[in-house]
Amino acid sequence: MTTRHPFYGLRAQGFVRVATATPIGTTGDPATNGARCAEIARHAAEAGADLVVYPELCLSSYAVDDLHLQDAYLDAVERALGDVMAASAELDPVLALGAALRRNGRLYNCAIAIQRGRVLGVVPKSFLPNYREYYEKRWFAPGAGLTGLTIDIGGETVPFGTDLIFAAEDQADFILHMEICEDVWSPVQPSTMGALAGATILANLSASDITIGKARERKLLCAAQSGRNMAAYAYSAAGAGESTTDLAWDGQGFIYELGTLLAESSRFDDAPELLIADVDVARIRQERMRTPTFNDAVATMDHPERTFRRIGFSRGEEADRTLNRDVPRYPFVPATPERLDEDCYEAFNIQVDGLARRISATGAKCLTIGISGGLDSTQALIVAAKAMDRLGRPRTDIRAYTLPGFATSDATKANAWALMRAIGVTAEEIDIRPAARQMLTDMRHPFADGEPQYDVTFENVQASLRTDYLFRLAGQHGGFVIGTGDMSELALGWCTYGVGDHMSHYGVNGGVPKTLIQYLIGWTVRTAQLDGADEVLTRILETEISPELVPADAETGAIQSTEDRIGPYALHDFFLY
């Protein structure tokens, strides 16, 4: 039997497996609630979870009203807590469990961190809702401001207070903060201080009831909390089994990372649910390190890590696990049609607005652009046309040139001409072959003597001549050169440096990856941005990506293919992202 190298473990790669649990509650029956929480804990351990976040008061039940104040009932809650602790003795996950606990003659709504049979610490709810359908101040004491205290549980004295965070001893970036329901609705969220103290995972144990539109509000608040605090945020709301005398429950769970939704549970389900996602805590730490705003906030709040207490825990040996999170194949391109349309709209208008401002600032008489009939120059020309429209200037102020070389095909040249005509620019053609042949002759390059030597020099002579012509033409007509190279090409260095195709006066595609360029052109067609150009734009989208600098293969007729040479842009953009 072979053992996989530790390098391939999730922990070694900076991931923490986070779960949110939605057990089926039994109103007023802590023993059954405890048994169901323990059962979910066992399933979570089998799935390799490192953390399980339960709903608020999941042991006690939330909607039991004045039962919260009965000693017999609270004794039952403590016995149920002991049962869960015993059941967790051989389990690795940290359980963030909700229960009502007594301390010093008061009752607190608590989040309890349990691991391997012991309570790591107890965090009381800071802010108690006492409006609309909530009456928590009738039963519970507020936890805000309680720090540095302890509580007795099962004969053990454990830390108690809102100043606790829980840190894994076997993984530096797994640091947990817990808050409860209303805490995230407060203008001052306890989890913000926890994040500033170093917590990378913020857990919210909630019994938020459901009303129309509230599910959206929860997600909005938690996404914002995850984004602004540069953290993961795991939220679990109470579901089936709670009393519906006054309220209703939907059992919503979700996990965010840096403001992005990783996973979301079903709702209104009559079965228990365990939602799991792998959170990249190493990424969270790295993003904080490179973001001065986060570190400035730490200093502004007087370095909360000095006042928070870290409670350590460790886990057993990690089993082999497959990564449990969506990793998009095309990370620059949103998977949902709505997001894709929104991102295309924004990317397109960012390009147009930036170019329009540059035209206004320079007082350019014209724009100069080379058109190959390929994707990048097509997108650049579309942007230039819309910029002129926005400024109220004629598109004929765009001087577009197709510059055929030794490998330019009839199809791409025809597409270039059809595009220029459809958009209505001032269009010309300059054959660069005579000038290129002269340069190659002067260099004594074998091609000048008829040899089919298509090396880098042969390619770069053509690329640099095109740029040279465009710069001289821009100067002649009082304009500036619009660059067409995209971000993927620039990142790879797939361009001619010095006097080549990475040079321009203003590169409109420099921040746009190749995979998104394709969707931007498709979006232009789909949303009818350019009247009369849809047919040629569709043809361009279907054309092989090629620099067209080396003639087609004499035997097969195959043209020079960029992706055959450097690999698929989908893969390059994946790594670039």
Side-chain angles (χ1 to χ4, degrees):
M1 179 178 178
T2 59
T3 302
R4 193 171 65 159
H5 193 281
F7 174 83
Y8 296 102
L10 295 179
R11 294 179 196 169
Q13 296 302 321
F15 289 96
V16 171
R17 180 156 291 180
V18 176
T20 66
T22 311
I24 301 301
T26 55
T27 303
D29 186 352
T32 300
N33 288 339
R36 290 177 177 176
C37 288
E39 183 180 6
I40 285 184
R42 286 188 286 271
H43 290 312
E46 291 169 1
D50 299 303
L51 168 66
V52 187
V53 180
Y54 291 85
E56 176 183 13
L57 296 174
C58 58
L59 282 185
S60 312
S61 301
Y62 183 87
V64 293
D65 297 340
D66 284 1
L67 277 178
H68 285 304
L69 301 178
Q70 292 194 9
D71 285 341
Y73 190 73
L74 295 175
D75 290 342
V77 170
E78 291 178 6
R79 288 194 297 271
L81 175 58
D83 292 342
V84 175
M85 291 168 59
S88 72
E90 302 299 323
L91 305 180
D92 278 340
V94 175
L95 311 180
L97 201 68
L101 296 178
R102 292 167 287 188
R103 183 190 179 279
N104 196 28
R106 301 180 184 90
L107 183 65
Y108 293 94
N109 182 344
C110 298
I112 307 164
I114 302 170
Q115 197 229 5
R116 285 197 162 266
R118 68 188 183 100
V119 172
L120 303 175
V122 177
V123 178
K125 188 172 184 177
S126 291
F127 301 103
L128 302 177
N130 220 61
Y131 55 90
R132 293 199 305 265
E133 63 272 30
Y134 302 109
Y135 311 103
E136 288 192 32
K137 287 187 178 180
R138 177 179 174 90
W139 310 299
F140 304 117
L146 296 181
T147 61
L149 302 175
T150 60
I151 186 172
D152 292 332
I153 295 178
E156 298 290 331
T157 299
V158 300
F160 177 91
T162 58
D163 58 342
L164 303 181
I165 56 177
F166 306 89
E169 295 171 345
D170 54 1
Q171 187 172 357
D173 298 323
F174 180 9
I175 306 172
L176 169 68
H177 178 274
M178 300 187 301
E179 65 183 2
I180 304 173
C181 198
E182 186 76 7
D183 290 345
V184 78
W185 265 267
S186 165
V188 182
Q189 302 85 14
S191 56
T192 293
M193 298 302 291
L196 295 178
T200 54
I201 299 176
L202 312 177
N204 188 304
L205 293 71
S206 176
S208 171
D209 65 310
I210 186 61
T211 56
I212 295 173
K214 195 172 186 181
R216 291 192 298 270
E217 184 181 7
R218 293 174 189 149
K219 294 180 67 176
L220 177 65
L221 288 170
C222 296
Q225 195 68 350
S226 169
R228 73 162 64 92
N229 288 308
M230 307 189 77
Y233 202 93
Y235 179 94
S236 179
E242 282 286 358
S243 169
T244 55
T245 299
D246 296 322
L247 306 170
W249 317 89
D250 62 335
Q252 186 174 29
F254 43 75
I255 301 168
Y256 282 92
E257 177 185 297
L258 296 172
T260 298
L261 182 65
L262 296 185
E264 182 175 9
S265 71
S266 59
R267 297 166 57 212
F268 302 103
D269 199 336
D270 288 333
E273 184 163 7
L274 188 68
L275 179 73
I276 294 177
D278 291 332
V279 169
D280 193 344
V281 290
R283 176 191 177 207
I284 289 169
R285 186 248 308 156
Q286 290 166 349
E287 288 298 320
R288 289 177 176 180
M289 289 174 65
R290 65 168 62 98
T291 306
T293 303
F294 186 88
N295 301 314
D296 290 345
V298 172
T300 299
M301 299 308 292
D302 196 26
H303 299 277
E305 65 267 27
R306 295 194 304 222
T307 56
F308 269 73
R309 293 188 291 168
R310 289 197 178 201
I311 310 299
F313 61 90
S314 61
R315 296 159 293 171
E317 184 177 348
E318 182 183 16
D320 287 353
R321 302 290 179 190
T322 302
L323 188 65
N324 193 328
R325 62 186 276 155
D326 288 335
V327 180
R329 293 184 64 188
Y330 306 101
F332 290 111
V333 182
T336 63
E338 298 80 10
R339 277 288 310 281
L340 179 58
D341 272 356
E342 182 180 337
D343 283 12
C344 285
Y345 168 83
E346 289 186 344
F348 182 74
N349 280 282
I350 288 168
Q351 290 182 282
V352 171
D353 188 65
L355 179 56
R357 290 181 62 83
R358 182 57 60 94
I359 295 168
S360 298
T362 60
K365 295 180 181 178
C366 69
L367 302 180
T368 303
I369 184 170
I371 304 300
S372 67
L375 294 171
D376 294 340
S377 64
T378 295
Q379 177 63 17
L381 183 57
I382 293 169
V383 169
K386 299 301 284 189
M388 286 303 195
D389 293 348
R390 185 167 296 183
L391 294 171
R393 293 181 55 170
R395 293 180 183 176
T396 50
D397 283 352
I398 302 170
R399 303 189 67 88
Y401 298 86
T402 183
L403 302 155
F406 295 117
T408 302
S409 67
D410 291 340
T412 54
K413 188 167 81 168
N415 283 342
W417 269 108
L419 179 66
M420 293 187 292
R421 291 189 180 109
I423 292 179
V425 300
T426 299
E428 293 187 42
E429 180 177 320
I430 298 175
D431 189 341
I432 67 166
R433 287 174 295 182
R437 195 178 299 277
Q438 182 62 53
M439 183 178 288
L440 292 166
T441 299
D442 293 343
M443 294 170 62
R444 299 178 182 175
H445 189 277
F447 177 82
D449 295 327
E451 295 186 28
Q453 183 166 320
Y454 307 129
D455 54 13
V456 172
T457 299
F458 174 81
E459 294 186 67
N460 285 349
V461 162
Q462 297 172 78
S464 60
L465 272 173
R466 286 177 173 138
T467 302
D468 204 5
Y469 271 114
L470 293 173
F471 269 89
R472 299 326 133 216
L473 289 162
Q476 180 182 1
H477 297 287
F480 61 83
V481 177
I482 301 299
T484 61
D486 63 54
M487 183 169 72
S488 305
E489 293 178 342
L490 296 171
L492 287 167
W494 184 249
C495 45
T496 301
Y497 283 99
V499 291
D501 52 349
H502 82 297
M503 291 291 292
S504 67
H505 291 113
Y506 190 78
V508 295
N509 293 335
V512 186
K514 180 77 79 176
T515 48
L516 186 55
I517 290 274
Q518 294 170 308
Y519 283 90
L520 283 169
I521 295 173
W523 178 82
T524 299
V525 174
R526 194 168 61 254
T527 58
Q529 296 292 317
L530 293 171
D531 292 336
D534 291 357
E535 183 179 345
V536 63
L537 291 176
T538 301
R539 289 203 303 271
I540 290 169
L541 283 171
E542 295 169 351
T543 301
E544 174 81 29
I545 299 173
S546 171
E548 290 198 318
L549 294 171
V550 173
D553 186 276
E555 294 182 2
T556 65
I559 66 169
Q560 183 183 19
S561 169
T562 296
E563 293 185 307
D564 281 352
R565 181 69 175 273
I566 65 172
Y569 272 112
L571 192 58
H572 290 305
D573 283 357
F574 179 86
F575 287 117
L576 180 59
Y577 182 86

